[in-house]
PDB file of all heavy atoms in Angstrom:
ATOM      1  N   ILE A   1     103.055 111.960 101.647  1.00 97.00           N
ATOM      2  CA  ILE A   1     103.205 111.068 100.407  1.00 97.00           C
ATOM      3  C   ILE A   1     101.983 111.441  99.458  1.00 97.00           C
ATOM      4  O   ILE A   1     102.154 111.319  98.213  1.00 97.00           O
ATOM      5  CB  ILE A   1     103.261 109.660 100.721  1.00 97.00           C
ATOM      6  CG1 ILE A   1     103.760 108.830  99.433  1.00 97.00           C
ATOM      7  CG2 ILE A   1     101.939 109.121 101.166  1.00 97.00           C
ATOM      8  CD1 ILE A   1     104.007 107.416  99.618  1.00 97.00           C
ATOM      9  N   LYS A   2     100.925 111.798 100.058  1.00 97.00           N
ATOM     10  CA  LYS A   2      99.736 112.056  99.124  1.00 97.00           C
ATOM     11  C   LYS A   2      99.955 113.258  98.304  1.00 97.00           C
ATOM     12  O   LYS A   2      99.707 113.221  97.050  1.00 97.00           O
ATOM     13  CB  LYS A   2      98.433 112.304  99.928  1.00 97.00           C
ATOM     14  CG  LYS A   2      97.893 111.029 100.600  1.00 97.00           C
ATOM     15  CD  LYS A   2      96.745 111.407 101.505  1.00 97.00           C
ATOM     16  CE  LYS A   2      96.238 110.174 102.215  1.00 97.00           C
ATOM     17  NZ  LYS A   2      95.065 110.440 103.149  1.00 97.00           N
ATOM     18  N   LYS A   3     100.644 114.274  98.856  1.00 97.00           N
ATOM     19  CA  LYS A   3     101.042 115.495  98.087  1.00 97.00           C
ATOM     20  C   LYS A   3     102.024 115.122  97.024  1.00 97.00           C
ATOM     21  O   LYS A   3     102.006 115.592  95.809  1.00 97.00           O
ATOM     22  CB  LYS A   3     101.582 116.579  99.044  1.00 97.00           C
ATOM     23  CG  LYS A   3     100.519 117.141  99.895  1.00 97.00           C
ATOM     24  CD  LYS A   3     101.179 118.256 100.835  1.00 97.00           C
ATOM     25  CE  LYS A   3     100.185 118.812 101.708  1.00 97.00           C
ATOM     26  NZ  LYS A   3     100.768 119.915 102.652  1.00 97.00           N
ATOM     27  N   TRP A   4     103.025 114.278  97.422  1.00 98.00           N
ATOM     28  CA  TRP A   4     104.062 113.934  96.369  1.00 98.00           C
ATOM     29  C   TRP A   4     103.483 113.158  95.325  1.00 98.00           C
ATOM     30  O   TRP A   4     103.844 113.373  94.144  1.00 98.00           O
ATOM     31  CB  TRP A   4     105.151 113.078  97.160  1.00 98.00           C
ATOM     32  CG  TRP A   4     106.213 112.614  96.343  1.00 98.00           C
ATOM     33  CD1 TRP A   4     107.231 113.363  95.804  1.00 98.00           C
ATOM     34  CD2 TRP A   4     106.483 111.291  95.868  1.00 98.00           C
ATOM     35  NE1 TRP A   4     108.057 112.578  95.037  1.00 98.00           N
ATOM     36  CE2 TRP A   4     107.682 111.278  95.091  1.00 98.00           C
ATOM     37  CE3 TRP A   4     105.847 110.029  96.030  1.00 98.00           C
ATOM     38  CZ2 TRP A   4     108.232 110.168  94.469  1.00 98.00           C
ATOM     39  CZ3 TRP A   4     106.417 108.875  95.471  1.00 98.00           C
ATOM     40  CH2 TRP A   4     107.547 108.919  94.702  1.00 98.00           C
ATOM     41  N   LEU A   5     102.523 112.226  95.567  1.00 98.00           N
ATOM     42  CA  LEU A   5     101.978 111.361  94.553  1.00 98.00           C
ATOM     43  C   LEU A   5     101.035 112.218  93.559  1.00 98.00           C
ATOM     44  O   LEU A   5     100.678 111.707  92.467  1.00 98.00           O
ATOM     45  CB  LEU A   5     101.248 110.295  95.130  1.00 98.00           C
ATOM     46  CG  LEU A   5     102.056 109.153  95.782  1.00 98.00           C
ATOM     47  CD1 LEU A   5     101.229 108.212  96.561  1.00 98.00           C
ATOM     48  CD2 LEU A   5     102.776 108.348  94.737  1.00 98.00           C
ATOM     49  N   ASP A   6     100.673 113.340  93.952  1.00 97.00           N
ATOM     50  CA  ASP A   6      99.845 114.268  93.092  1.00 97.00           C
ATOM     51  C   ASP A   6     100.657 114.870  92.006  1.00 97.00           C
ATOM     52  O   ASP A   6     100.075 115.405  90.994  1.00 97.00           O
ATOM     53  CB  ASP A   6      99.176 115.354  93.990  1.00 97.00           C
ATOM     54  CG  ASP A   6      97.968 114.849  94.729  1.00 97.00           C
ATOM     55  OD1 ASP A   6      97.431 113.748  94.366  1.00 97.00           O
ATOM     56  OD2 ASP A   6      97.586 115.534  95.699  1.00 97.00           O
ATOM     57  N   GLN A   7     102.077 114.834  92.114  1.00 97.00           N
ATOM     58  CA  GLN A   7     102.927 115.326  91.089  1.00 97.00           C
ATOM     59  C   GLN A   7     103.009 114.305  89.925  1.00 97.00           C
ATOM     60  O   GLN A   7     102.787 113.124  90.131  1.00 97.00           O
ATOM     61  CB  GLN A   7     104.300 115.581  91.712  1.00 97.00           C
ATOM     62  CG  GLN A   7     104.278 116.554  92.790  1.00 97.00           C
ATOM     63  CD  GLN A   7     105.751 116.830  93.289  1.00 97.00           C
ATOM     64  OE1 GLN A   7     106.502 117.491  92.655  1.00 97.00           O
ATOM     65  NE2 GLN A   7     106.017 116.226  94.435  1.00 97.00           N
ATOM     66  N   GLU A   8     103.318 114.778  88.810  1.00 94.00           N
ATOM     67  CA  GLU A   8     103.549 113.916  87.639  1.00 94.00           C
ATOM     68  C   GLU A   8     104.765 113.054  87.776  1.00 94.00           C
ATOM     69  O   GLU A   8     105.724 113.372  88.335  1.00 94.00           O
ATOM     70  CB  GLU A   8     103.709 114.823  86.308  1.00 94.00           C
ATOM     71  CG  GLU A   8     102.487 115.590  85.910  1.00 94.00           C
ATOM     72  CD  GLU A   8     101.416 114.691  85.427  1.00 94.00           C
ATOM     73  OE1 GLU A   8     101.690 113.602  84.868  1.00 94.00           O
ATOM     74  OE2 GLU A   8     100.208 114.963  85.664  1.00 94.00           O
ATOM     75  N   ASN A   9     104.573 111.732  87.303  1.00 97.00           N
ATOM     76  CA  ASN A   9     105.707 110.838  87.157  1.00 97.00           C
ATOM     77  C   ASN A   9     106.262 110.474  88.531  1.00 97.00           C
ATOM     78  O   ASN A   9     107.517 110.511  88.709  1.00 97.00           O
ATOM     79  CB  ASN A   9     106.811 111.337  86.243  1.00 97.00           C
ATOM     80  CG  ASN A   9     107.629 110.136  85.728  1.00 97.00           C
ATOM     81  OD1 ASN A   9     107.269 109.053  85.672  1.00 97.00           O
ATOM     82  ND2 ASN A   9     108.884 110.571  85.258  1.00 97.00           N
ATOM     83  N   THR A  10     105.441 110.291  89.519  1.00 98.00           N
ATOM     84  CA  THR A  10     105.860 109.777  90.820  1.00 98.00           C
ATOM     85  C   THR A  10     105.219 108.404  90.996  1.00 98.00           C
ATOM     86  O   THR A  10     104.009 108.249  90.654  1.00 98.00           O
ATOM     87  CB  THR A  10     105.446 110.752  91.894  1.00 98.00           C
ATOM     88  OG1 THR A  10     103.974 110.969  91.858  1.00 98.00           O
ATOM     89  CG2 THR A  10     106.270 112.080  91.897  1.00 98.00           C
ATOM     90  N   TRP A  11     105.839 107.472  91.639  1.00 98.00           N
ATOM     91  CA  TRP A  11     105.436 106.186  91.700  1.00 98.00           C
ATOM     92  C   TRP A  11     105.714 105.539  93.024  1.00 98.00           C
ATOM     93  O   TRP A  11     106.901 105.671  93.564  1.00 98.00           O
ATOM     94  CB  TRP A  11     105.995 105.238  90.590  1.00 98.00           C
ATOM     95  CG  TRP A  11     105.826 105.860  89.237  1.00 98.00           C
ATOM     96  CD1 TRP A  11     106.666 106.768  88.596  1.00 98.00           C
ATOM     97  CD2 TRP A  11     104.731 105.671  88.418  1.00 98.00           C
ATOM     98  NE1 TRP A  11     106.128 107.163  87.452  1.00 98.00           N
ATOM     99  CE2 TRP A  11     104.908 106.499  87.222  1.00 98.00           C
ATOM    100  CE3 TRP A  11     103.575 104.862  88.446  1.00 98.00           C
ATOM    101  CZ2 TRP A  11     103.977 106.535  86.190  1.00 98.00           C
ATOM    102  CZ3 TRP A  11     102.661 104.891  87.403  1.00 98.00           C
ATOM    103  CH2 TRP A  11     102.873 105.645  86.233  1.00 98.00           C
ATOM    104  N   TYR A  12     104.720 104.851  93.635  1.00 98.00           N
ATOM    105  CA  TYR A  12     104.978 104.095  94.921  1.00 98.00           C
ATOM    106  C   TYR A  12     104.611 102.716  94.887  1.00 98.00           C
ATOM    107  O   TYR A  12     103.411 102.341  94.403  1.00 98.00           O
ATOM    108  CB  TYR A  12     104.144 104.812  96.073  1.00 98.00           C
ATOM    109  CG  TYR A  12     104.314 104.162  97.421  1.00 98.00           C
ATOM    110  CD1 TYR A  12     105.544 104.039  98.012  1.00 98.00           C
ATOM    111  CD2 TYR A  12     103.149 103.639  98.078  1.00 98.00           C
ATOM    112  CE1 TYR A  12     105.740 103.373  99.182  1.00 98.00           C
ATOM    113  CE2 TYR A  12     103.295 103.069  99.282  1.00 98.00           C
ATOM    114  CZ  TYR A  12     104.641 102.891  99.872  1.00 98.00           C
ATOM    115  OH  TYR A  12     104.796 102.248 101.037  1.00 98.00           O
ATOM    116  N   PHE A  13     105.477 101.832  95.281  1.00 97.00           N
ATOM    117  CA  PHE A  13     105.332 100.397  95.257  1.00 97.00           C
ATOM    118  C   PHE A  13     105.551  99.891  96.704  1.00 97.00           C
ATOM    119  O   PHE A  13     106.557 100.176  97.287  1.00 97.00           O
ATOM    120  CB  PHE A  13     106.248  99.643  94.382  1.00 97.00           C
ATOM    121  CG  PHE A  13     106.016  99.960  92.905  1.00 97.00           C
ATOM    122  CD1 PHE A  13     106.607 101.022  92.327  1.00 97.00           C
ATOM    123  CD2 PHE A  13     105.287  99.050  92.077  1.00 97.00           C
ATOM    124  CE1 PHE A  13     106.430 101.275  90.977  1.00 97.00           C
ATOM    125  CE2 PHE A  13     105.151  99.236  90.754  1.00 97.00           C
ATOM    126  CZ  PHE A  13     105.659 100.360  90.138  1.00 97.00           C
ATOM    127  N   CYS A  14     104.629  99.025  97.182  1.00 96.00           N
ATOM    128  CA  CYS A  14     104.811  98.326  98.448  1.00 96.00           C
ATOM    129  C   CYS A  14     104.194  96.932  98.323  1.00 96.00           C
ATOM    130  O   CYS A  14     103.372  96.697  97.494  1.00 96.00           O
ATOM    131  CB  CYS A  14     104.184  99.050  99.661  1.00 96.00           C
ATOM    132  SG  CYS A  14     102.404  99.231  99.531  1.00 96.00           S
ATOM    133  N   ASP A  15     104.738  95.972  99.077  1.00 95.00           N
ATOM    134  CA  ASP A  15     104.225  94.656  98.993  1.00 95.00           C
ATOM    135  C   ASP A  15     102.991  94.447  99.934  1.00 95.00           C
ATOM    136  O   ASP A  15     101.927  93.865  99.526  1.00 95.00           O
ATOM    137  CB  ASP A  15     105.212  93.668  99.151  1.00 95.00           C
ATOM    138  CG  ASP A  15     106.099  93.804 100.411  1.00 95.00           C
ATOM    139  OD1 ASP A  15     105.918  94.794 101.085  1.00 95.00           O
ATOM    140  OD2 ASP A  15     106.901  92.854 100.625  1.00 95.00           O
ATOM    141  N   THR A  16     103.086  94.824 101.160  1.00 92.00           N
ATOM    142  CA  THR A  16     101.944  94.452 102.111  1.00 92.00           C
ATOM    143  C   THR A  16     101.135  95.733 102.363  1.00 92.00           C
ATOM    144  O   THR A  16     101.586  96.883 102.268  1.00 92.00           O
ATOM    145  CB  THR A  16     102.541  94.050 103.504  1.00 92.00           C
ATOM    146  OG1 THR A  16     103.197  95.114 104.140  1.00 92.00           O
ATOM    147  CG2 THR A  16     103.518  92.937 103.286  1.00 92.00           C
ATOM    148  N   LEU A  17      99.900  95.443 102.782  1.00 92.00           N
ATOM    149  CA  LEU A  17      98.945  96.621 103.145  1.00 92.00           C
ATOM    150  C   LEU A  17      99.496  97.345 104.361  1.00 92.00           C
ATOM    151  O   LEU A  17      99.230  98.499 104.567  1.00 92.00           O
ATOM    152  CB  LEU A  17      97.603  96.042 103.373  1.00 92.00           C
ATOM    153  CG  LEU A  17      96.778  95.596 102.224  1.00 92.00           C
ATOM    154  CD1 LEU A  17      95.553  94.857 102.608  1.00 92.00           C
ATOM    155  CD2 LEU A  17      96.422  96.829 101.259  1.00 92.00           C
ATOM    156  N   MET A  18     100.309  96.664 105.120  1.00 90.00           N
ATOM    157  CA  MET A  18     100.901  97.321 106.330  1.00 90.00           C
ATOM    158  C   MET A  18     101.911  98.380 105.977  1.00 90.00           C
ATOM    159  O   MET A  18     102.025  99.336 106.687  1.00 90.00           O
ATOM    160  CB  MET A  18     101.601  96.218 107.248  1.00 90.00           C
ATOM    161  CG  MET A  18     100.676  95.246 107.792  1.00 90.00           C
ATOM    162  SD  MET A  18     101.614  93.873 108.690  1.00 90.00           S
ATOM    163  CE  MET A  18     102.121  94.757 110.107  1.00 90.00           C
ATOM    164  N   GLY A  19     102.505  98.218 104.778  1.00 91.00           N
ATOM    165  CA  GLY A  19     103.347  99.246 104.303  1.00 91.00           C
ATOM    166  C   GLY A  19     102.727 100.340 103.504  1.00 91.00           C
ATOM    167  O   GLY A  19     103.358 101.343 103.092  1.00 91.00           O
ATOM    168  N   LEU A  20     101.434 100.229 103.260  1.00 91.00           N
ATOM    169  CA  LEU A  20     100.595 101.214 102.524  1.00 91.00           C
ATOM    170  C   LEU A  20     100.127 102.409 103.491  1.00 91.00           C
ATOM    171  O   LEU A  20     100.187 103.405 102.932  1.00 91.00           O
ATOM    172  CB  LEU A  20      99.426 100.466 101.873  1.00 91.00           C
ATOM    173  CG  LEU A  20      98.570 101.365 100.931  1.00 91.00           C
ATOM    174  CD1 LEU A  20      99.341 101.683  99.665  1.00 91.00           C
ATOM    175  CD2 LEU A  20      97.362 100.561 100.608  1.00 91.00           C
ATOM    176  N   GLY A  21      99.715 101.973 104.671  1.00 87.00           N
ATOM    177  CA  GLY A  21      99.060 103.063 105.474  1.00 87.00           C
ATOM    178  C   GLY A  21      97.738 103.244 105.149  1.00 87.00           C
ATOM    179  O   GLY A  21      96.913 102.268 105.232  1.00 87.00           O
ATOM    180  N   ASP A  22      97.312 104.337 104.626  1.00 87.00           N
ATOM    181  CA  ASP A  22      95.901 104.638 104.202  1.00 87.00           C
ATOM    182  C   ASP A  22      95.573 103.972 102.981  1.00 87.00           C
ATOM    183  O   ASP A  22      96.210 104.253 101.929  1.00 87.00           O
ATOM    184  CB  ASP A  22      95.782 106.160 104.075  1.00 87.00           C
ATOM    185  CG  ASP A  22      94.313 106.601 103.967  1.00 87.00           C
ATOM    186  OD1 ASP A  22      93.465 105.730 103.670  1.00 87.00           O
ATOM    187  OD2 ASP A  22      94.022 107.843 104.139  1.00 87.00           O
ATOM    188  N   GLU A  23      94.549 103.114 102.955  1.00 92.00           N
ATOM    189  CA  GLU A  23      94.242 102.292 101.812  1.00 92.00           C
ATOM    190  C   GLU A  23      93.578 103.118 100.710  1.00 92.00           C
ATOM    191  O   GLU A  23      93.441 102.668  99.601  1.00 92.00           O
ATOM    192  CB  GLU A  23      93.379 101.138 102.148  1.00 92.00           C
ATOM    193  CG  GLU A  23      94.007 100.092 102.967  1.00 92.00           C
ATOM    194  CD  GLU A  23      93.219  98.779 103.122  1.00 92.00           C
ATOM    195  OE1 GLU A  23      92.404  98.488 102.278  1.00 92.00           O
ATOM    196  OE2 GLU A  23      93.412  98.060 104.150  1.00 92.00           O
ATOM    197  N   VAL A  24      93.293 104.467 100.977  1.00 93.00           N
ATOM    198  CA  VAL A  24      92.821 105.345  99.933  1.00 93.00           C
ATOM    199  C   VAL A  24      93.805 105.486  98.799  1.00 93.00           C
ATOM    200  O   VAL A  24      93.537 105.846  97.726  1.00 93.00           O
ATOM    201  CB  VAL A  24      92.400 106.666 100.542  1.00 93.00           C
ATOM    202  CG1 VAL A  24      93.592 107.481 100.908  1.00 93.00           C
ATOM    203  CG2 VAL A  24      91.499 107.404  99.527  1.00 93.00           C
ATOM    204  N   LEU A  25      95.055 105.265  99.160  1.00 95.00           N
ATOM    205  CA  LEU A  25      96.258 105.390  98.201  1.00 95.00           C
ATOM    206  C   LEU A  25      96.051 104.342  97.008  1.00 95.00           C
ATOM    207  O   LEU A  25      96.545 104.534  95.949  1.00 95.00           O
ATOM    208  CB  LEU A  25      97.547 105.150  98.851  1.00 95.00           C
ATOM    209  CG  LEU A  25      98.024 106.214  99.867  1.00 95.00           C
ATOM    210  CD1 LEU A  25      99.367 105.729 100.428  1.00 95.00           C
ATOM    211  CD2 LEU A  25      98.211 107.556  99.257  1.00 95.00           C
ATOM    212  N   LEU A  26      95.285 103.251  97.289  1.00 95.00           N
ATOM    213  CA  LEU A  26      95.118 102.305  96.284  1.00 95.00           C
ATOM    214  C   LEU A  26      94.312 102.842  95.114  1.00 95.00           C
ATOM    215  O   LEU A  26      94.341 102.261  93.973  1.00 95.00           O
ATOM    216  CB  LEU A  26      94.391 101.079  96.842  1.00 95.00           C
ATOM    217  CG  LEU A  26      95.142 100.230  97.826  1.00 95.00           C
ATOM    218  CD1 LEU A  26      94.295  99.075  98.378  1.00 95.00           C
ATOM    219  CD2 LEU A  26      96.356  99.519  97.079  1.00 95.00           C
ATOM    220  N   LYS A  27      93.651 103.872  95.294  1.00 95.00           N
ATOM    221  CA  LYS A  27      92.826 104.573  94.183  1.00 95.00           C
ATOM    222  C   LYS A  27      93.625 105.342  93.224  1.00 95.00           C
ATOM    223  O   LYS A  27      93.246 105.619  92.149  1.00 95.00           O
ATOM    224  CB  LYS A  27      91.731 105.466  94.811  1.00 95.00           C
ATOM    225  CG  LYS A  27      90.774 104.698  95.677  1.00 95.00           C
ATOM    226  CD  LYS A  27      89.723 105.750  96.287  1.00 95.00           C
ATOM    227  CE  LYS A  27      88.737 104.983  97.176  1.00 95.00           C
ATOM    228  NZ  LYS A  27      87.722 105.990  97.845  1.00 95.00           N
ATOM    229  N   LYS A  28      94.937 105.592  93.576  1.00 96.00           N
ATOM    230  CA  LYS A  28      95.840 106.329  92.740  1.00 96.00           C
ATOM    231  C   LYS A  28      96.426 105.439  91.671  1.00 96.00           C
ATOM    232  O   LYS A  28      96.820 104.319  91.954  1.00 96.00           O
ATOM    233  CB  LYS A  28      96.904 107.037  93.566  1.00 96.00           C
ATOM    234  CG  LYS A  28      96.417 108.125  94.490  1.00 96.00           C
ATOM    235  CD  LYS A  28      97.517 108.787  95.181  1.00 96.00           C
ATOM    236  CE  LYS A  28      97.024 109.964  96.018  1.00 96.00           C
ATOM    237  NZ  LYS A  28      96.591 111.041  95.068  1.00 96.00           N
ATOM    238  N   HIS A  29      96.481 105.929  90.428  1.00 95.00           N
ATOM    239  CA  HIS A  29      97.019 105.140  89.359  1.00 95.00           C
ATOM    240  C   HIS A  29      98.552 104.931  89.522  1.00 95.00           C
ATOM    241  O   HIS A  29      99.151 103.882  88.961  1.00 95.00           O
ATOM    242  CB  HIS A  29      96.881 105.843  87.951  1.00 95.00           C
ATOM    243  CG  HIS A  29      97.862 107.039  87.826  1.00 95.00           C
ATOM    244  ND1 HIS A  29      97.525 108.331  88.304  1.00 95.00           N
ATOM    245  CD2 HIS A  29      98.990 107.117  87.174  1.00 95.00           C
ATOM    246  CE1 HIS A  29      98.537 109.104  87.975  1.00 95.00           C
ATOM    247  NE2 HIS A  29      99.454 108.420  87.336  1.00 95.00           N
ATOM    248  N   ASN A  30      99.279 105.644  90.362  1.00 96.00           N
ATOM    249  CA  ASN A  30     100.663 105.542  90.487  1.00 96.00           C
ATOM    250  C   ASN A  30     101.031 104.800  91.761  1.00 96.00           C
ATOM    251  O   ASN A  30     102.116 105.041  92.268  1.00 96.00           O
ATOM    252  CB  ASN A  30     101.364 106.915  90.387  1.00 96.00           C
ATOM    253  CG  ASN A  30     100.653 107.935  91.246  1.00 96.00           C
ATOM    254  OD1 ASN A  30      99.635 107.829  91.823  1.00 96.00           O
ATOM    255  ND2 ASN A  30     101.302 109.075  91.414  1.00 96.00           N
ATOM    256  N   VAL A  31     100.166 104.055  92.370  1.00 97.00           N
ATOM    257  CA  VAL A  31     100.357 103.323  93.567  1.00 97.00           C
ATOM    258  C   VAL A  31     100.103 101.780  93.268  1.00 97.00           C
ATOM    259  O   VAL A  31      98.924 101.497  92.695  1.00 97.00           O
ATOM    260  CB  VAL A  31      99.502 103.762  94.743  1.00 97.00           C
ATOM    261  CG1 VAL A  31      99.621 102.828  95.937  1.00 97.00           C
ATOM    262  CG2 VAL A  31      99.933 105.224  95.149  1.00 97.00           C
ATOM    263  N   ALA A  32     101.057 100.934  93.583  1.00 96.00           N
ATOM    264  CA  ALA A  32     100.777  99.580  93.388  1.00 96.00           C
ATOM    265  C   ALA A  32     101.145  98.799  94.738  1.00 96.00           C
ATOM    266  O   ALA A  32     102.261  98.909  95.192  1.00 96.00           O
ATOM    267  CB  ALA A  32     101.633  98.985  92.218  1.00 96.00           C
ATOM    268  N   CYS A  33     100.221  98.038  95.206  1.00 96.00           N
ATOM    269  CA  CYS A  33     100.442  97.237  96.410  1.00 96.00           C
ATOM    270  C   CYS A  33     100.084  95.726  96.126  1.00 96.00           C
ATOM    271  O   CYS A  33      99.039  95.417  95.638  1.00 96.00           O
ATOM    272  CB  CYS A  33      99.506  97.743  97.562  1.00 96.00           C
ATOM    273  SG  CYS A  33      99.643  96.744  99.062  1.00 96.00           S
ATOM    274  N   LEU A  34     101.078  94.918  96.383  1.00 94.00           N
ATOM    275  CA  LEU A  34     100.936  93.442  96.143  1.00 94.00           C
ATOM    276  C   LEU A  34      99.940  92.818  97.133  1.00 94.00           C
ATOM    277  O   LEU A  34      99.331  91.748  96.737  1.00 94.00           O
ATOM    278  CB  LEU A  34     102.405  92.847  96.333  1.00 94.00           C
ATOM    279  CG  LEU A  34     102.522  91.396  95.824  1.00 94.00           C
ATOM    280  CD1 LEU A  34     102.263  91.261  94.366  1.00 94.00           C
ATOM    281  CD2 LEU A  34     103.954  90.910  96.122  1.00 94.00           C
ATOM    282  N   LYS A  35      99.760  93.455  98.235  1.00 94.00           N
ATOM    283  CA  LYS A  35      98.825  92.988  99.260  1.00 94.00           C
ATOM    284  C   LYS A  35      99.248  91.593  99.906  1.00 94.00           C
ATOM    285  O   LYS A  35      98.402  90.859 100.379  1.00 94.00           O
ATOM    286  CB  LYS A  35      97.402  92.915  98.705  1.00 94.00           C
ATOM    287  CG  LYS A  35      96.760  94.178  98.244  1.00 94.00           C
ATOM    288  CD  LYS A  35      95.436  94.026  97.765  1.00 94.00           C
ATOM    289  CE  LYS A  35      94.832  95.357  97.275  1.00 94.00           C
ATOM    290  NZ  LYS A  35      93.470  95.194  96.753  1.00 94.00           N
ATOM    291  N   ARG A  36     100.508  91.364  99.850  1.00 92.00           N
ATOM    292  CA  ARG A  36     101.078  90.185 100.524  1.00 92.00           C
ATOM    293  C   ARG A  36     102.573  90.358 100.608  1.00 92.00           C
ATOM    294  O   ARG A  36     103.142  91.232  99.942  1.00 92.00           O
ATOM    295  CB  ARG A  36     100.798  88.886  99.768  1.00 92.00           C
ATOM    296  CG  ARG A  36     101.433  88.790  98.453  1.00 92.00           C
ATOM    297  CD  ARG A  36     101.235  87.473  97.828  1.00 92.00           C
ATOM    298  NE  ARG A  36     101.808  87.298  96.446  1.00 92.00           N
ATOM    299  CZ  ARG A  36     103.129  87.240  96.192  1.00 92.00           C
ATOM    300  NH1 ARG A  36     104.008  87.072  97.284  1.00 92.00           N
ATOM    301  NH2 ARG A  36     103.592  87.108  95.002  1.00 92.00           N
TER     302      ARG A  36
END
């Protein structure tokens, strides 16, 4: 998913941190996690 998110116009949304996996993904502009 990290490689996929490096491409233009790719977006990942999850609600819980458990669905995020590696929290380093939160640093990406195209990742949004509700954290609940």
Side-chain angles (χ1 to χ4, degrees):
I1 195 172
K2 289 176 183 177
K3 291 181 181 179
W4 180 71
L5 288 168
D6 284 340
Q7 300 181 75
E8 290 294 326
N9 202 21
T10 53
W11 307 88
Y12 178 58
F13 292 84
C14 63
D15 52 354
T16 70
L17 287 170
M18 296 174 70
L20 186 68
D22 191 343
E23 292 190 25
V24 73
L25 292 177
L26 291 173
K27 298 179 180 179
K28 292 182 174 292
H29 75 275
N30 49 349
V31 172
C33 180
L34 192 60
K35 300 182 182 179
R36 64 171 178 81

